[in-house]
Amino acid sequence: MKIFTTEQIRSWDQFTILHEPISSVQLMERASMAIANWISEHCKNHKKMVVFCGNGNNGGDGLAIARMLYLKGFDVDVFVNDPKGKFSEDATINLKRLGDISGVSVRKFSQVEQYGFDEKMIIIDALFGTGLSRPLDGEYKELVELLNTKDNIKVSIDIPSGLAADGILKEDDSVVLKTDYTLSFQSWKRSFLHSETGKYTGEIKILNIGLHREYEEAERTNYFVIDDDLAESIFKPRNDFAHKGNYGKAVIIGGSYGKIGAVVLATKSALKTGAGLTFTLAPQCGYEILQTSCPEAMFAKGGELWVDHFDIEKDMTVGIGPGLGTHEATKKGLLSFLKNYSTSMVLDADALNIISENEENRDLIPKKSIITPHPKEFERMFGKTEDSFKRLKLAVEKARELAIYIVLKDHHTQVITPNGKVFYNITGNAGLAKGGSGDVLTGILTSLLAQGYSAEESCILGVWLHGKAADFAAEKYSKESMLPTNVIDELGSVFGELNTKMNRKL
């Protein structure tokens, strides 16, 4: 799914109005009906709705939604700045339509403090939409601050009021409504996907309001969401007549005394993801552990207590870093290996920490390789940034400069390609916030790369698989109790679901 900027979304609306054709107020009606239908379906136990509307088109949506909810049997109250004030053209039409219904009262914001909020009421936020370009101030700021003190369930239309769609509003004291649900139109907004801004959105629901497909297909963007459709388009079902030689050789390099668990996790996930042959190059101190816990993988000795030599066959796909440690002999061996190796690989954890010690080491990363830093590892490697939007911008620059793929791990992990594309993953959950989760991802990516997926395909499908398996694990064990090993175990469930969807039905 493509992610568009505020300006592109506005153009998409206009394209739809012109080419469908449909009037702007009819399009507003259609969008509002999608919202009203969702609320009426999911909020049956809440009969009272209080809708806060701005003077622009987001407010117009709110006014139309209030009317529709009333006609669906809900008790509805509406608040506006001034019923006699200036509204956008379409909002004015919907204010008049609402005024023709005697059962809905329209009140001023100034009356809200005397309003009796019942705990079963749902607050619907239609104050500001995606066009907001400055922090809230004055009466609107005070209203949002007040609403944030209420324990009622809050539903925001398109975007929480006070939030920008494409980034961060700079002022430190900016106020944003903290909502429980964001019902957004047609596509994701970038601000939903970053930690500083996404914390306000609650649960995201993307509602299709029938914007013109021709615009969506033709309009260019560098930002995308990794959804089920994209993952399914990349996945290649297993050939019934294939043999292990058709699915590549993956080698996981890592482990050191006391950190063998990390390389075990990466090895297990590489096996579970389907590599034809899987090897583990690790120190001798991990031999018994690896052979016992991963009997399907072959062991190669890379040292005694840590890896100090990196001897592999040329046709192997390398994933390096889990539990590797930063012993001087390991550093020397890794840098020597990188100087003499030019095939794309996966680099994670201590491999990145070693490379980060000297800026010149970055040039040793083979072109088209995949690196998988978490925010701190990224900072050590490329420098500190003010926020996650600037971090992503820097990642785009570095991916292009080094001709590599960066998998920037976060709540919504971002895949950054050498040609400047950014893919946000929307699978996964907070249960992955545990040591070892990144090692599992390293094994998945290495395995996919070994099987012949391109680096870009491996990144996109790999982070989706990792997150999807984590979602299955959370359902079974909870986010608190799920373990990285549970994520590995659930990879089979994800592949089973993929194959079911791909198989032809009679």
Side-chain angles (χ1 to χ4, degrees), residues 80-105:
V80 297
N81 185 24
D82 180 359
K84 296 181 180 179
K86 185 177 181 182
F87 291 78
S88 70
E89 184 177 344
D90 291 343
T92 299
I93 292 171
N94 273 304
L95 181 61
K96 183 179 184 306
R97 288 175 178 175
L98 189 63
D100 293 337
I101 298 176
S102 59
V104 179
S105 65

Side-chain angles (χ1 to χ4, degrees), residues 215-288:
Y215 180 93
E216 182 181 17
E217 291 166 2
E219 183 69 7
R220 300 184 66 179
T221 179
N222 283 329
Y223 298 99
F224 305 84
V225 162
I226 303 173
D227 55 16
D228 291 2
D229 290 341
L230 180 55
E232 289 165 18
S233 72
I234 293 171
F235 173 63
K236 302 167 189 173
R238 213 116 170 134
N239 185 332
D240 289 342
F241 291 92
H243 56 79
K244 64 186 178 184
N246 296 123
Y247 295 104
K249 295 179 181 179
V251 57
I252 304 297
I253 303 176
S256 54
Y257 184 78
K259 296 181 180 179
I260 297 301
V263 77
V264 167
L265 291 171
T267 300
K268 280 187 172 183
S269 63
L271 288 163
K272 275 279 196 176
T273 305
L277 291 169
T278 301
F279 298 78
T280 308
L281 193 153
Q284 182 66 28
C285 65
Y287 172 74
E288 287 84 0

Side-chain angles (χ1 to χ4, degrees), residues 377-393:
E377 288 167 343
F378 182 87
E379 181 182 315
R380 284 194 286 269
M381 197 159 188
F382 297 116
K384 192 170 185 176
T385 54
E386 289 179 34
D387 55 60
S388 66
F389 287 92
K390 285 191 168 62
R391 183 174 65 219
L392 179 57
K393 182 180 179 183

Side-chain angles (χ1 to χ4, degrees), residues 3 42 64 92 146 154 180 269 279 299 302 370 374 496:
I3 300 175
H42 293 87
T92 299
L146 175 65
K154 302 177 186 70
D180 296 287
S269 63
F279 298 78
F299 180 86
I370 301 167
H374 57 57

Side-chain angles (χ1 to χ4, degrees), residues 34-52:
I35 298 286
N37 286 343
W38 190 95
I39 292 174
S40 64
E41 181 181 346
H42 293 87
C43 305
K44 294 174 182 176
N45 295 327
H46 301 267
K47 292 302 180 184
K48 179 76 176 193
M49 306 285 164
V50 54
V51 188
F52 291 86

